[in-house]
């Protein structure tokens, strides 16, 4: 059974600091997604990583995928309050859209 | 482009009652998904449709949950009878095809079972 684990589960940051969220998964896959969820809201797609070594960046967020290590990272640069949310990684289990989600990382950015 | 629509947004029922949720995917999206998100957890896939056929329902509790996607567009998810542990947000998502890279999520229906 595919397992997806994120760490940390909770992250309190100061504005301006950098940090990385890690997403490990237990079986082979080369499709990984990052989503953002604000409290009481639905999920918003951030990044789609489709091959080993893929790197994507949007604003202060950068995501990468290492399929050999079964690891994805979401790096936050110079955090701002607007980035406060819960971030989920999800792995496509069978290349057919069956997503297995991690537990989520609740990010709080404080002034 | 209109997003995924869901209704109702909130529902409160007593245990053993039945409830139904409705989803209208993004126009032209062949693949539709229903997820259950329990508070504090990531979404869990319940069922996946391609057009009006079921692709995967391995995690759907079939003794009480059912879903259909008539005509390959709208979908309904039903719970009958509901249990306390069914309290969750039920999210509908759609994508262009099974192998398309992004699933787009609707706002969800928050179900509370008392």
């Amino acid at each position: 059974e595919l397992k997806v684990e994120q760490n940390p589960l909770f992250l309190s940051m100061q504005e301006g600091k950098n940090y990385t969220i890690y997403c490990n998964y237990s079986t082979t896959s080369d499709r990984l997604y990052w989503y953002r969820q604000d409290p009481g809201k639905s999920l918003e797609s951030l990044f789609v990583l489709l091959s080993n070594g893929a790197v994507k960046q949007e604003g202060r967020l950068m995501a990468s995928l290492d399929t050999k290590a079964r690891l994805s990272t979401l790096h936050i640069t110079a955090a701002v309050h607007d980035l406060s949310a819960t971030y989920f990684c999800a792995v496509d289990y069978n290349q057919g859209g069956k997503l297995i989600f991690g537990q989520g990382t609740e990010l709080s950015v404080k002034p | 482009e209109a997003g995924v629509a869901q209704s109702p947004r909130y529902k409160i029922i007593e245990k053993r009652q039945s409830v139904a949720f409705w989803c209208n995917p993004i126009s032209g999206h062949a693949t539709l998904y229903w997820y259950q998100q329990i508070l504090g957890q990531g979404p869990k896939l319940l069922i996946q449709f391609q057009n009006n056929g079921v692709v995967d329902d391995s995690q759907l509790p079939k003794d009480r949950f059912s879903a259909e996607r008539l005509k390959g567009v709208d979908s309904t998810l039903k719970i009958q009878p509901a249990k306390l542990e069914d309290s969750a947000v039920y999210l509908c998502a759609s994508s262009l095809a099974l192998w398309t890279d992004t699933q787009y999520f609707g706002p969800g229906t928050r179900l509370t079972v008392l």
Side-chain angles (χ1 to χ4, degrees):
Chain A
E1 179 187 337
L2 173 63
K3 291 187 179 179
V4 180
E5 295 185 343
Q6 290 181 232
N7 75 83
L9 299 183
F10 299 95
L11 178 55
S12 181
M13 298 176 62
Q14 281 194 312
E15 281 192 329
K17 300 291 188 183
N18 304 332
Y19 210 84
T20 300
I21 299 171
Y22 298 89
C23 174
N24 291 88
Y25 53 99
S26 62
T27 195
T28 303
S29 176
D30 59 2
R31 286 173 171 251
L32 190 137
Y33 305 79
W34 284 95
Y35 284 88
R36 169 182 171 145
Q37 187 174 40
D38 290 288
K41 306 285 187 178
S42 192
L43 284 84
E44 173 191 354
S45 177
L46 293 175
F47 299 109
V48 181
L49 303 169
L50 299 177
S51 61
N52 186 40
V55 177
K56 290 198 174 177
Q57 183 164 4
E58 179 75 32
R60 301 174 188 275
L61 300 178
M62 183 174 71
S64 65
L65 178 61
D66 181 343
T67 59
K68 293 179 182 178
R70 300 177 185 172
L71 171 69
S72 179
T73 61
L74 180 66
H75 187 73
I76 303 156
T77 302
V80 293
H81 178 69
D82 285 353
L83 291 179
S84 297
T86 299
Y87 293 85
F88 291 95
C89 64
V91 175
D92 189 327
Y93 179 58
N94 59 359
Q95 316 290 332
K98 180 176 181 177
L99 296 187
I100 308 297
F101 280 81
Q103 315 97 304
T105 297
E106 185 177 334
L107 172 66
S108 175
V109 181
K110 302 186 186 302
Chain B
E1 177 182 84
V4 177
Q6 289 187 247
S7 68
R9 294 294 311 279
Y10 305 91
K11 190 75 177 178
I12 300 174
I13 61 172
E14 301 277 339
K15 61 183 179 183
R16 292 188 289 273
Q17 286 186 322
S18 61
V19 64
F21 313 126
W22 173 83
C23 173
N24 181 239
I26 293 172
S27 178
H29 280 197
T31 312
L32 185 147
Y33 313 80
W34 283 102
Y35 289 86
Q36 179 192 60
Q37 186 177 21
I38 293 171
L39 186 64
Q41 299 181 17
K44 183 181 86 171
L45 180 67
L46 293 176
I47 189 166
Q48 180 183 12
F49 291 94
Q50 175 74 2
N51 296 311
N52 61 352
V54 175
V55 176
D56 188 318
D57 63 358
S58 58
Q59 298 193 95
L60 186 74
K62 298 180 187 62
D63 57 334
R64 297 182 301 105
F65 286 65
S66 64
E68 60 183 8
R69 192 183 183 198
L70 299 176
K71 302 180 182 178
V73 181
D74 294 4
S75 177
T76 56
L77 176 70
K78 296 179 181 178
I79 307 175
Q80 182 180 11
K83 293 185 175 182
L84 296 177
E85 58 262 35
D86 298 332
S87 293
V89 176
Y90 291 85
L91 295 164
C92 179
S94 69
S95 63
L96 272 174
L98 274 178
W99 296 275
T100 302
D101 49 7
T102 300
Q103 294 180 25
Y104 296 91
F105 283 80
T109 296
R110 183 177 298 276
L111 173 67
T112 302
V113 182
L114 302 175

